[in-house]
């Protein structure tokens, strides 16, 4: 299955033309901890291995989390991860920019789970990049501005994983971020679970549904290693 997904991603890469590089964006969505970022990083790595370094780039929606300072200002920090706790307009603008701006490097943010903050310019999409893999919870959303994303994507894949597996991952993620076991469980039930149910309701907006397991996590020397 994984090899087939890599082949399908490669098939989306536009041919190079004399007018310069064309670029498309592949979206991955799914409920929290479905494995979107792991799969996205692997696809970028595999496409680069087969089509040449820099062919693929990575755009994580999580880089558009509002900062903790902004969440505190808005009174939304206890709901972090909900649709209105992201700079959705900024994310949509970045997707548009990546499709239009191919003459210079474009720097994109990511999210640091140890610092619990977005980090600017964590990744770069090079001028030669022809496929950008982006992933996030709300790419299939029906509400604006999320609804504007789907029309910019070549395809949108829904990454599906059993809820029990996801919630174990979410609990481990909270504990790794410094929460106690009880606090981690409370967060999963109060925040991650309802966000996941919202995302699951958007499944039919996607091009296809994919279920994968055993996706390799990239090592620290790989281009888009998991932190």
């Amino acid at each position: 299955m994984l090899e087939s997904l890599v082949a399908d991603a490669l098939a989306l890469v536009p041919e190079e033309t004399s007018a310069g590089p064309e670029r498309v964006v592949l979206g991955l969505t799914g409920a929290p901890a479905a494995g979107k970022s792991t799969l996205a990083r692997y696809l970028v790595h595999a496409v680069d291995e087969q089509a040449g370094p820099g062919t693929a780039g990575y755009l994580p929606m999580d880089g558009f989390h509002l900062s903790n300072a902004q969440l505190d200002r808005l009174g939304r920090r206890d709901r972090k991860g909900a649709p209105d706790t992201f700079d959705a307009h900024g994310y949509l603008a970045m997707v548009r920019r990546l499709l239009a701006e191919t003459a210079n490097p474009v720097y994109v943010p990511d999210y640091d789970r140890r610092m619990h903050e977005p980090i600017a310019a964590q990744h770069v999409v090079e001028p030669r990049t022809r496929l950008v893999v982006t992933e996030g919870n709300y790419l299939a959303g029906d509400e604006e501005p999320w609804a504007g994303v789907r029309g910019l994507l070549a395809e949108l894949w829904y990454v599906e994983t059993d809820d029990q597996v996801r919630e174990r991952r979410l609990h481990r993620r909270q504990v790794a971020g410094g929460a106690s076991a009880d606090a981690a469980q409370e967060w999963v039930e109060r925040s991650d679970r309802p966000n996941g149910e919202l995302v699951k309701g958007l499944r039919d907006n996607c091009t296809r549904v994919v279920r994968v397991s055993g996706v390799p996590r990239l090592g620290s020397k790989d281009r888009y290693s998991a932190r």
Side-chain angles (χ1 to χ4, degrees):
M1 178 62 173
L2 189 55
E3 293 78 6
S4 174
L5 293 180
V6 172
D8 291 343
L10 279 163
L12 295 174
V13 177
E15 296 291 334
E16 293 190 71
T17 67
S18 58
E22 296 183 13
R23 182 177 290 160
V24 299
V25 181
L26 166 63
L28 307 181
T29 192
K36 300 180 296 295
S37 61
T38 301
L39 178 58
R41 291 183 175 104
Y42 182 78
L43 289 174
V44 170
H45 171 78
V47 167
D48 276 2
E49 277 198 329
Q50 298 190 41
T55 300
Y58 178 47
L59 172 63
M61 190 201 82
D62 274 0
F64 293 84
H65 267 286
L66 296 179
S67 69
N68 289 332
Q70 294 302 323
L71 293 173
D72 286 340
R73 180 182 67 84
L74 295 166
R76 300 176 189 169
R77 190 163 177 177
D78 65 338
R79 300 174 50 254
K80 192 172 188 176
D84 62 347
T85 64
F86 291 85
D87 177 13
H89 289 283
Y91 172 75
L92 177 60
M94 178 60 77
V95 176
R96 288 174 173 153
R97 182 184 175 195
L98 287 171
L99 288 169
E101 194 171 322
T102 59
N104 52 269
V106 178
Y107 296 92
V108 303
D110 204 340
Y111 185 79
D112 192 309
R113 296 191 183 282
R114 294 168 298 185
M115 296 177 61
H116 305 289
E117 292 279 13
I119 305 295
Q122 190 77 359
H123 307 296
V124 60
V125 176
E126 301 283 2
R128 66 182 180 275
T129 297
R130 288 175 286 149
L131 173 69
V132 174
V133 182
T134 186
E135 50 83 15
N137 291 348
Y138 304 116
L139 274 57
D142 287 320
E143 302 295 327
E144 295 292 350
W146 298 111
V149 174
R150 293 203 306 276
L152 302 176
L153 305 177
E155 293 187 6
L156 177 57
W157 300 355
Y158 185 90
V159 182
E160 189 167 68
T161 301
D162 292 341
D163 288 344
Q164 288 183 336
V165 173
R166 288 193 309 100
E167 293 203 358
R168 284 198 299 269
R169 292 172 179 172
L170 289 165
H171 187 273
R172 288 198 301 267
R173 181 183 293 177
Q174 290 296 317
V175 170
S180 68
D182 287 345
Q185 187 61 34
E186 190 273 337
W187 181 270
V188 170
E189 293 176 359
R190 178 176 54 80
S191 180
D192 289 327
R193 186 177 293 167
N195 291 339
E197 291 303 309
L198 172 61
V199 175
K200 286 159 62 178
L202 303 171
R203 184 177 184 266
D204 289 345
N205 289 345
C206 300
T207 310
R208 64 190 288 189
V209 176
V210 300
R211 292 181 65 94
V212 292
S213 60
V215 180
R217 283 188 173 273
L218 303 183
S220 60
K221 295 183 179 179
D222 289 300
R223 187 172 168 213
Y224 292 118
S225 60
R227 292 179 307 284

